[in-house]
PDB file of all heavy atoms in Angstrom:
ATOM      1  N   LEU O  11     -27.424 198.549 132.574  1.00 95.00           N
ATOM      2  CA  LEU O  11     -26.145 197.891 132.315  1.00 95.00           C
ATOM      3  C   LEU O  11     -25.141 198.871 131.729  1.00 95.00           C
ATOM      4  O   LEU O  11     -23.979 198.902 132.143  1.00 95.00           O
ATOM      5  CB  LEU O  11     -26.338 196.694 131.377  1.00 95.00           C
ATOM      6  CG  LEU O  11     -25.067 195.941 130.977  1.00 95.00           C
ATOM      7  CD1 LEU O  11     -24.382 195.350 132.197  1.00 95.00           C
ATOM      8  CD2 LEU O  11     -25.403 194.864 129.953  1.00 95.00           C
ATOM      9  N   THR O  12     -25.576 199.696 130.791  1.00 96.00           N
ATOM     10  CA  THR O  12     -24.691 200.687 130.169  1.00 96.00           C
ATOM     11  C   THR O  12     -24.176 201.680 131.203  1.00 96.00           C
ATOM     12  O   THR O  12     -22.977 201.982 131.250  1.00 96.00           O
ATOM     13  CB  THR O  12     -25.432 201.419 129.031  1.00 96.00           C
ATOM     14  OG1 THR O  12     -25.908 200.450 128.093  1.00 96.00           O
ATOM     15  CG2 THR O  12     -24.538 202.418 128.340  1.00 96.00           C
ATOM     16  N   ILE O  13     -25.073 202.167 132.047  1.00 97.00           N
ATOM     17  CA  ILE O  13     -24.680 203.125 133.092  1.00 97.00           C
ATOM     18  C   ILE O  13     -23.683 202.481 134.058  1.00 97.00           C
ATOM     19  O   ILE O  13     -22.646 203.072 134.391  1.00 97.00           O
ATOM     20  CB  ILE O  13     -25.922 203.644 133.852  1.00 97.00           C
ATOM     21  CG1 ILE O  13     -26.779 204.518 132.930  1.00 97.00           C
ATOM     22  CG2 ILE O  13     -25.528 204.400 135.120  1.00 97.00           C
ATOM     23  CD1 ILE O  13     -28.156 204.838 133.486  1.00 97.00           C
ATOM     24  N   VAL O  14     -23.985 201.265 134.508  1.00 97.00           N
ATOM     25  CA  VAL O  14     -23.121 200.598 135.486  1.00 97.00           C
ATOM     26  C   VAL O  14     -21.764 200.264 134.872  1.00 97.00           C
ATOM     27  O   VAL O  14     -20.727 200.444 135.519  1.00 97.00           O
ATOM     28  CB  VAL O  14     -23.814 199.338 136.059  1.00 97.00           C
ATOM     29  CG1 VAL O  14     -22.856 198.524 136.911  1.00 97.00           C
ATOM     30  CG2 VAL O  14     -25.030 199.737 136.883  1.00 97.00           C
ATOM     31  N   LEU O  15     -21.742 199.815 133.621  1.00 97.00           N
ATOM     32  CA  LEU O  15     -20.458 199.522 132.977  1.00 97.00           C
ATOM     33  C   LEU O  15     -19.609 200.784 132.813  1.00 97.00           C
ATOM     34  O   LEU O  15     -18.397 200.754 133.039  1.00 97.00           O
ATOM     35  CB  LEU O  15     -20.668 198.846 131.623  1.00 97.00           C
ATOM     36  CG  LEU O  15     -21.097 197.377 131.683  1.00 97.00           C
ATOM     37  CD1 LEU O  15     -21.399 196.857 130.281  1.00 97.00           C
ATOM     38  CD2 LEU O  15     -20.058 196.518 132.370  1.00 97.00           C
ATOM     39  N   ALA O  16     -20.261 201.898 132.443  1.00 97.00           N
ATOM     40  CA  ALA O  16     -19.531 203.166 132.329  1.00 97.00           C
ATOM     41  C   ALA O  16     -18.976 203.581 133.693  1.00 97.00           C
ATOM     42  O   ALA O  16     -17.821 204.028 133.807  1.00 97.00           O
ATOM     43  CB  ALA O  16     -20.442 204.252 131.766  1.00 97.00           C
ATOM     44  N   PHE O  17     -19.778 203.417 134.735  1.00 97.00           N
ATOM     45  CA  PHE O  17     -19.345 203.756 136.090  1.00 97.00           C
ATOM     46  C   PHE O  17     -18.199 202.854 136.522  1.00 97.00           C
ATOM     47  O   PHE O  17     -17.245 203.307 137.166  1.00 97.00           O
ATOM     48  CB  PHE O  17     -20.536 203.622 137.050  1.00 97.00           C
ATOM     49  CG  PHE O  17     -20.378 204.387 138.326  1.00 97.00           C
ATOM     50  CD1 PHE O  17     -20.716 205.728 138.391  1.00 97.00           C
ATOM     51  CD2 PHE O  17     -19.906 203.774 139.472  1.00 97.00           C
ATOM     52  CE1 PHE O  17     -20.573 206.446 139.576  1.00 97.00           C
ATOM     53  CE2 PHE O  17     -19.759 204.465 140.654  1.00 97.00           C
ATOM     54  CZ  PHE O  17     -20.096 205.804 140.704  1.00 97.00           C
ATOM     55  N   TRP O  18     -18.259 201.581 136.166  1.00 97.00           N
ATOM     56  CA  TRP O  18     -17.205 200.629 136.509  1.00 97.00           C
ATOM     57  C   TRP O  18     -15.885 201.005 135.839  1.00 97.00           C
ATOM     58  O   TRP O  18     -14.837 200.996 136.476  1.00 97.00           O
ATOM     59  CB  TRP O  18     -17.638 199.217 136.122  1.00 97.00           C
ATOM     60  CG  TRP O  18     -16.679 198.134 136.477  1.00 97.00           C
ATOM     61  CD1 TRP O  18     -16.147 197.869 137.711  1.00 97.00           C
ATOM     62  CD2 TRP O  18     -16.141 197.154 135.598  1.00 97.00           C
ATOM     63  NE1 TRP O  18     -15.319 196.771 137.650  1.00 97.00           N
ATOM     64  CE2 TRP O  18     -15.303 196.311 136.356  1.00 97.00           C
ATOM     65  CE3 TRP O  18     -16.303 196.883 134.244  1.00 97.00           C
ATOM     66  CZ2 TRP O  18     -14.620 195.240 135.809  1.00 97.00           C
ATOM     67  CZ3 TRP O  18     -15.623 195.801 133.703  1.00 97.00           C
ATOM     68  CH2 TRP O  18     -14.795 195.001 134.478  1.00 97.00           C
ATOM     69  N   VAL O  19     -15.969 201.355 134.549  1.00 96.00           N
ATOM     70  CA  VAL O  19     -14.761 201.780 133.831  1.00 96.00           C
ATOM     71  C   VAL O  19     -14.183 203.021 134.502  1.00 96.00           C
ATOM     72  O   VAL O  19     -12.982 203.099 134.775  1.00 96.00           O
ATOM     73  CB  VAL O  19     -15.063 202.034 132.336  1.00 96.00           C
ATOM     74  CG1 VAL O  19     -13.900 202.734 131.650  1.00 96.00           C
ATOM     75  CG2 VAL O  19     -15.399 200.725 131.629  1.00 96.00           C
ATOM     76  N   TRP O  20     -15.041 204.014 134.790  1.00 97.00           N
ATOM     77  CA  TRP O  20     -14.573 205.231 135.469  1.00 97.00           C
ATOM     78  C   TRP O  20     -13.910 204.885 136.798  1.00 97.00           C
ATOM     79  O   TRP O  20     -12.848 205.412 137.138  1.00 97.00           O
ATOM     80  CB  TRP O  20     -15.737 206.199 135.711  1.00 97.00           C
ATOM     81  CG  TRP O  20     -15.352 207.285 136.666  1.00 97.00           C
ATOM     82  CD1 TRP O  20     -14.678 208.425 136.384  1.00 97.00           C
ATOM     83  CD2 TRP O  20     -15.565 207.275 138.089  1.00 97.00           C
ATOM     84  NE1 TRP O  20     -14.458 209.138 137.551  1.00 97.00           N
ATOM     85  CE2 TRP O  20     -15.000 208.458 138.595  1.00 97.00           C
ATOM     86  CE3 TRP O  20     -16.184 206.391 138.965  1.00 97.00           C
ATOM     87  CZ2 TRP O  20     -15.035 208.769 139.950  1.00 97.00           C
ATOM     88  CZ3 TRP O  20     -16.212 206.699 140.310  1.00 97.00           C
ATOM     89  CH2 TRP O  20     -15.642 207.881 140.792  1.00 97.00           C
ATOM     90  N   SER O  21     -14.541 203.997 137.576  1.00 96.00           N
ATOM     91  CA  SER O  21     -14.009 203.683 138.910  1.00 96.00           C
ATOM     92  C   SER O  21     -12.633 203.032 138.843  1.00 96.00           C
ATOM     93  O   SER O  21     -11.852 203.144 139.779  1.00 96.00           O
ATOM     94  CB  SER O  21     -14.975 202.781 139.685  1.00 96.00           C
ATOM     95  OG  SER O  21     -14.937 201.447 139.217  1.00 96.00           O
ATOM     96  N   GLY O  22     -12.340 202.364 137.724  1.00 95.00           N
ATOM     97  CA  GLY O  22     -11.051 201.700 137.583  1.00 95.00           C
ATOM     98  C   GLY O  22      -9.942 202.588 137.049  1.00 95.00           C
ATOM     99  O   GLY O  22      -8.780 202.183 137.014  1.00 95.00           O
ATOM    100  N   ILE O  23     -10.287 203.804 136.642  1.00 95.00           N
ATOM    101  CA  ILE O  23      -9.279 204.730 136.122  1.00 95.00           C
ATOM    102  C   ILE O  23      -8.632 205.464 137.291  1.00 95.00           C
ATOM    103  O   ILE O  23      -9.283 206.208 138.020  1.00 95.00           O
ATOM    104  CB  ILE O  23      -9.906 205.741 135.130  1.00 95.00           C
ATOM    105  CG1 ILE O  23     -10.478 204.997 133.931  1.00 95.00           C
ATOM    106  CG2 ILE O  23      -8.878 206.789 134.705  1.00 95.00           C
ATOM    107  CD1 ILE O  23     -11.306 205.875 132.993  1.00 95.00           C
ATOM    108  N   ASN O  24      -7.347 205.238 137.477  1.00 95.00           N
ATOM    109  CA  ASN O  24      -6.577 205.875 138.551  1.00 95.00           C
ATOM    110  C   ASN O  24      -7.272 205.832 139.913  1.00 95.00           C
ATOM    111  O   ASN O  24      -7.549 206.884 140.510  1.00 95.00           O
ATOM    112  CB  ASN O  24      -6.249 207.326 138.190  1.00 95.00           C
ATOM    113  CG  ASN O  24      -5.393 207.425 136.961  1.00 95.00           C
ATOM    114  OD1 ASN O  24      -4.481 206.627 136.762  1.00 95.00           O
ATOM    115  ND2 ASN O  24      -5.689 208.396 136.114  1.00 95.00           N
ATOM    116  N   PRO O  25      -7.567 204.645 140.424  1.00 94.00           N
ATOM    117  CA  PRO O  25      -8.184 204.601 141.756  1.00 94.00           C
ATOM    118  C   PRO O  25      -7.263 205.244 142.788  1.00 94.00           C
ATOM    119  O   PRO O  25      -6.042 205.199 142.659  1.00 94.00           O
ATOM    120  CB  PRO O  25      -8.375 203.106 142.022  1.00 94.00           C
ATOM    121  CG  PRO O  25      -7.565 202.384 141.018  1.00 94.00           C
ATOM    122  CD  PRO O  25      -7.281 203.322 139.888  1.00 94.00           C
ATOM    123  N   HIS O  26      -7.845 205.860 143.796  1.00 92.00           N
ATOM    124  CA  HIS O  26      -7.085 206.594 144.811  1.00 92.00           C
ATOM    125  C   HIS O  26      -6.268 205.687 145.707  1.00 92.00           C
ATOM    126  O   HIS O  26      -5.291 206.131 146.298  1.00 92.00           O
ATOM    127  CB  HIS O  26      -8.026 207.459 145.652  1.00 92.00           C
ATOM    128  CG  HIS O  26      -8.596 208.606 144.875  1.00 92.00           C
ATOM    129  ND1 HIS O  26      -8.579 209.874 145.351  1.00 92.00           N
ATOM    130  CD2 HIS O  26      -9.182 208.674 143.649  1.00 92.00           C
ATOM    131  CE1 HIS O  26      -9.144 210.682 144.457  1.00 92.00           C
ATOM    132  NE2 HIS O  26      -9.519 209.967 143.432  1.00 92.00           N
TER     133      HIS O  26
END
Side-chain angles (χ1 to χ4, degrees):
L11 178 61
T12 303
I13 292 168
V14 171
L15 285 175
F17 201 85
W18 183 54
V19 169
W20 167 82
S21 75
I23 298 171
N24 298 320
H26 291 229

